[in-house]
Amino acid sequence: LSINPPDLLRHLIGDDARILFGNRGGRLWTDLDTVVELPSVDSRQEGVTDYLHADGDRRIGALAAFPAPASWVVWVEFPRAAIVASAQGFLRDMALLAAAVGIGAILFVRRLVTGVTAPLTAMTTAAESMAAGHYAVKVPANRTDEIGRLGQTFNVMADTVERELAGRRRALDIAEQTENRYRTLFDYAPDGILIADGEGRYLDANPGICRMLCRTREELIGRQAADIVAADEVPYIAPALSTLSARTDYQREWRFRHRDGSVVEADVIATKMPDGNIVAMVRDVTERNRAVEAVRAAEERTRFALESAEVGIWDLDFRTGAVRWSEILEAQHGLEPGTFDGTYDAFLALVHPDDRAQVRQTVETAARRGGDFSVQHRIVRPDGVQRWV
């Protein structure tokens, strides 16, 4: 066989390519010009394969058989380097394209992830700060999507929490100030203060009651009224607690036992507090009662001395004109006890008419100037008898 021109196929498929025809048994190969060396391929196996040429060059080719009844096969081969070079260019282009797509995807995902996770990270950090006690934190909320709405909601929540905590702090400050004032009043009150539960067991005692009874706070806490009052006062404890349980204020003078065994007389004012406990104010009136008793005894002695000497006493209030007379004075004027009218005019009406002007002038001059005065005058008793006083 021959082809004119002989290198036609090489022009068609390229200088580096080779097309061969051979019989199916593989014993004869030709390039349609001359008989050529047999390729190191299995002529019975169609398809693509590669082999090492005698010149040391690696070649790739494809084998195909002619349709029957022809017994020929055709082999087309190219240098492996030429095919690989083309494939490498394609792979390089694909690699560059893949790299570009990958980088674009990474940038897209990074932007997407950053756009989603950055606000969430900021909110997580802000939440951790809030948990640590820093409530003034805020997160960016300038987006219009769901994440922006979430940031706005978070900021509103943070503002609400901060306001509520600020209100609680103010309330706690006020409560602390109130507690400090209460404690100052409790500790420095001149009177005694006792706080007891509903059963009368003492929960607290201020220094005033401790000084009053000469006992320590620890000695009073846990005790009851029966432990510190006089024995004859014990029957009055239960009625007092019943009165206080009905949320009614209670007041009574009690007799307490001092550490040295003496008796301390004290006015007690008690009330039930909203928490169910009882607060009692205790004022020592021992000296006052002694003074009152001394005054009463002195008045009794004076009254006894005056009555024994038959000396009458009268008292005139310059502002109201009210006059108080002793029984002796009423008897001297011939009046029944308690029948004197008790006015300045009633007193003057009993003075003799001829002495009345002198008595009035003397008394009224003393009222204006002050000081002592003395006057003698006649009185006219209801039975007409005149007496000098």
Side-chain angles (χ1 to χ4, degrees):
L1 299 177
S2 66
I3 295 177
N4 291 314
D7 56 353
L8 175 62
L9 290 178
R10 183 174 291 110
H11 287 297
L12 289 176
I13 63 175
D15 292 338
D16 294 331
R18 187 168 68 151
I19 182 168
L20 304 175
F21 293 91
N23 61 358
R24 190 175 294 276
R27 295 185 300 275
L28 178 66
W29 290 93
T30 179
D31 60 2
L32 299 183
D33 185 16
T34 59
V35 175
V36 297
E37 181 182 356
L38 179 66
S40 301
V41 297
D42 186 357
S43 60
R44 295 168 299 181
Q45 185 69 33
E46 296 186 18
V48 178
T49 185
D50 66 344
Y51 73 98
L52 183 63
H53 195 268
D55 59 5
D57 187 17
R58 195 83 181 175
R59 303 182 73 84
I60 297 177
L63 183 72
F66 281 82
S71 60
W72 293 88
V73 294
V74 60
W75 168 261
V76 181
E77 67 177 29
F78 296 89
R80 187 177 187 279
I83 296 177
V84 171
S86 177
Q88 286 178 341
F90 174 78
L91 291 176
R92 183 177 61 252
D93 294 341
M94 291 299 101
L96 292 175
L97 179 61
V101 172
I103 292 174
I106 291 174
L107 293 176
F108 174 76
V109 171
R110 180 180 178 85
R111 180 176 178 82
L112 179 63
V113 171
T114 302
V116 174
T117 59
L120 296 179
T121 301
M123 281 186 278
T124 302
T125 303
E128 292 173 349
S129 297
M130 291 181 64
H134 307 291
Y135 303 102
V137 294
K138 295 293 184 295
V139 297
N142 52 358
R143 298 172 53 148
T144 59
D145 55 5
E146 293 298 325
I147 294 179
R149 293 177 57 189
L150 181 61
Q152 294 172 2
T153 303
F154 182 90
N155 291 339
V156 171
M157 179 190 69
D159 290 337
T160 302
V161 171
E162 186 177 12
R163 286 195 301 270
E164 290 182 355
L165 289 177
R168 292 184 181 182
R169 283 194 293 267
R170 288 193 296 270
L172 289 175
D173 290 341
I174 294 173
E176 184 178 359
Q177 294 173 4
T178 301
E179 174 66 19
N180 291 336
R181 286 195 295 268
Y182 160 76
R183 178 53 59 178
T184 300
L185 174 63
F186 186 81
D187 291 339
Y188 291 94
D191 295 332
I193 302 177
L194 286 168
I195 297 177
D197 59 18
E199 298 178 355
R201 186 176 293 102
Y202 297 132
L203 305 176
D204 203 353
N206 78 328
I209 191 68
C210 295
R211 290 191 300 269
M212 190 182 305
L213 303 181
C214 195
R215 301 175 186 269
T216 65
R217 178 174 177 271
E218 289 72 20
E219 290 176 331
L220 292 175
I221 291 179
R223 294 183 177 272
Q224 294 181 312
D227 299 320
I228 60 174
V229 299
D232 56 354
E233 297 278 17
V234 173
Y236 299 99
I237 297 176
L241 292 176
S242 298
T243 300
L244 288 168
S245 66
R247 293 191 177 276
T248 302
D249 293 341
Y250 176 86
Q251 182 175 5
R252 181 178 176 273
E253 185 175 307
W254 288 74
R255 299 170 66 244
F256 293 88
R257 286 186 288 110
H258 194 273
R259 179 186 290 275
D260 61 8
S262 61
V263 174
V264 177
E265 299 172 347
D267 279 336
V268 177
I269 301 176
T271 188
K272 190 173 184 179
M273 297 187 293
D275 61 0
N277 293 329
I278 299 170
V279 58
M281 305 293 295
V282 184
R283 173 166 292 181
D284 188 348
V285 295
T286 304
E287 296 301 325
R288 184 198 68 183
N289 288 350
R290 290 175 181 173
V292 170
E293 180 62 25
V295 171
R296 189 192 64 79
E299 289 180 347
E300 288 295 328
R301 290 193 297 270
T302 302
R303 183 178 297 109
F304 174 77
L306 295 175
E307 289 178 353
S308 299
E310 295 187 353
V311 175
I313 300 176
W314 59 269
D315 179 88
L316 168 62
D317 188 334
F318 292 143
R319 296 169 301 173
T320 64
V323 179
R324 293 187 301 164
W325 274 18
S326 66
E327 294 180 359
I328 295 296
L329 198 57
E330 287 182 318
Q332 290 176 354
H333 285 73
L335 302 176
E336 294 294 330
T339 59
F340 177 63
D341 192 29
T343 64
Y344 184 50
D345 291 339
F347 159 65
L348 291 176
L350 296 173
V351 177
H352 193 281
D354 295 341
D355 300 339
R356 193 170 297 160
Q358 177 190 1
V359 173
R360 183 193 297 274
Q361 180 180 1
T362 302
V363 173
E364 293 179 357
T365 299
R368 289 192 305 270
R369 298 178 180 177
D372 298 337
F373 71 93
S374 176
V375 62
Q376 291 186 5
H377 61 88
R378 290 168 292 176
I379 61 173
V380 180
R381 298 168 58 150
D383 57 4
V385 176
Q386 296 183 14
R387 304 288 296 271
W388 280 92
V389 296

